[in-house]
Amino acid sequence: MRENVLLIGGGGREHAIARALEDSEADLYACAGNKNPGIAQIAAGFETLETTDPEAVVDYAEAVDATIAVIGPEAPLEAGVADALEAAGVYPFGPKEADARIETDKAFQRRFMAENDIPGCPDFETFDDMDAACDYIDEYDGDLAIKPAGLTGGKGVKVIGDQVTAEEGKEYIRDADYDRIVLEERLIGEEFTIQAFVANGEFRTAPAVQDHKRAYEGDEGPNTGGMGSYADATPELPFMTEDDYTDAVEIIAATVDALEDYRGILYGQFMLTETGPRVVEFNARFGDPEAMNTLPVLETDFLEVLTAARDGEAPPELDFAEQATVCKYAVPDGYPTDPEAGAKVQVDEESVARSVRATENSSGDEPRESAGDALLYYASVDERDDGIYTTTSRSFALVGVADSIAAAEEIAEDALAVAGEEGLRIRHDIGKADLVQKRIDHVNELRGE
């Protein structure tokens, strides 16, 4: 039986989801606030609408006779789109509004962890009185992370001792006009993400991924939604041990046990500290860009995950190809503080597929070999009659897939060379050997090795 699957969202993460369903026994329909050309090419139908409007999403789901919906971004989850779809008889693979609070309300997230004895929780306090928060900064013995309680697209966190001084942190709190904030101990280590596929009280996990939030090479500049990421051909990353991965999965298990009715993706962002993994945050959906590392190597039919969840079954065991992935985002000049929109995107999937690089034994007019598996994922772009143009958010991602991180990074770079960089900026250091080694050395230093 074919399924009519509705995909909600129009970013790079959703393009990866669409491609994961492309060869399934599913007719894909999509809706988003922007028309993502990559998704539109795959989908049988594409509707531009406000995805935080539950009634509009339900109307479109009913118009296309959707049997399952996949909710990509966090904002529709916060708006109760999953609740509305379920009430209309469409199974949503994504948590209801109450369960999505594990991401959408960071104060709730920390209290939930503490009340349910979930390991890895840092010291924290929540505040709706900003003067009291500033007093806490003065009194706390150590550095703190300042987190708005609500959604900020990954850009609202400020870390004292890293991004700002204590005085700058207090000024940020006073000037930012947030209703509630969380202050929590600064965690020192290396960040990584594990995404879990959750349904009916059980879960399956994907390989670990490391995102790069800072805007500029060398981990400099302001935080962004994510400039790119890499994963290894093994479940763990090069700076992790198998035990580190297992310990993080045990934290996810405790969280799933406490979230009795959760379904969808539970994304655990961890800091690998000298004492093991600690929880930076949880998200209630695939990461962006982490979905673009995970889904291209998922060999299990993603539709089987969706139908098992809908039919009250445990998720199937997941098979991932033993390959590494490196994802690099192209973003508009000035992103994230003063982005410049309107640059024409000169890349398409065919040109990426044709990208080539010289072998050690070739030069000039000699034969050249294919660049390998390079994948293009469109994100926030504007498709016009005369082409595709950048907006003020991340534009597109190029992903290399190979047997090693180094080879995958070369593939991504080859594809970026074809794409060109006019009007765009890219963190070329993501996945390069020296940056990966820097992560390994950091963890070894923390552990006294």
Side-chain angles (χ1 to χ4, degrees), residues 203-268:
F203 70 95
R204 307 286 183 259
T205 56
V209 183
Q210 186 172 58
D211 186 15
H212 297 67
K213 289 288 189 185
R214 293 298 191 92
Y216 310 128
E217 295 192 6
D219 297 320
E220 299 291 336
N223 276 349
T224 70
M227 292 295 297
S229 47
Y230 69 93
D232 210 342
T234 57
E236 62 276 356
L237 289 160
F239 57 81
M240 298 169 61
T241 66
E242 291 182 13
D243 286 344
D244 293 331
Y245 183 89
T246 299
D247 289 345
V249 171
E250 288 177 356
I251 294 173
I252 290 173
T255 308
V256 172
D257 284 345
L259 288 167
E260 294 180 3
D261 298 321
Y262 194 93
R263 94 287 289 273
I265 301 299
L266 182 65
Y267 159 128

Side-chain angles (χ1 to χ4, degrees), residues 95-153:
K96 293 182 178 181
E97 180 183 357
D99 287 334
R101 291 180 70 199
I102 195 73
E103 171 175 8
T104 62
D105 186 340
K106 291 181 176 61
F108 167 83
Q109 176 188 116
R110 289 312 191 199
R111 289 195 301 269
F112 173 87
M113 291 187 69
E115 290 167 3
N116 289 280
D117 295 322
I118 293 171
C121 186
D123 294 336
F124 73 95
E125 291 289 345
T126 63
F127 298 88
D128 54 18
D129 180 333
M130 299 306 125
D131 289 333
C134 291
D135 290 342
Y136 185 81
I137 290 175
D138 289 333
E139 296 163 3
Y140 188 79
D141 183 18
D143 292 333
L144 292 162
I146 303 167
K147 294 185 175 183
L151 297 175
T152 60

Side-chain angles (χ1 to χ4, degrees), residues 337-359:
T337 54
D338 191 22
E340 300 174 13
K344 190 170 185 179
V345 176
Q346 303 290 348
V347 66
D348 58 34
E349 293 184 46
E350 289 187 5
S351 65
V352 168
R354 291 196 302 269
S355 65
V356 295
R357 64 180 169 88
T359 67

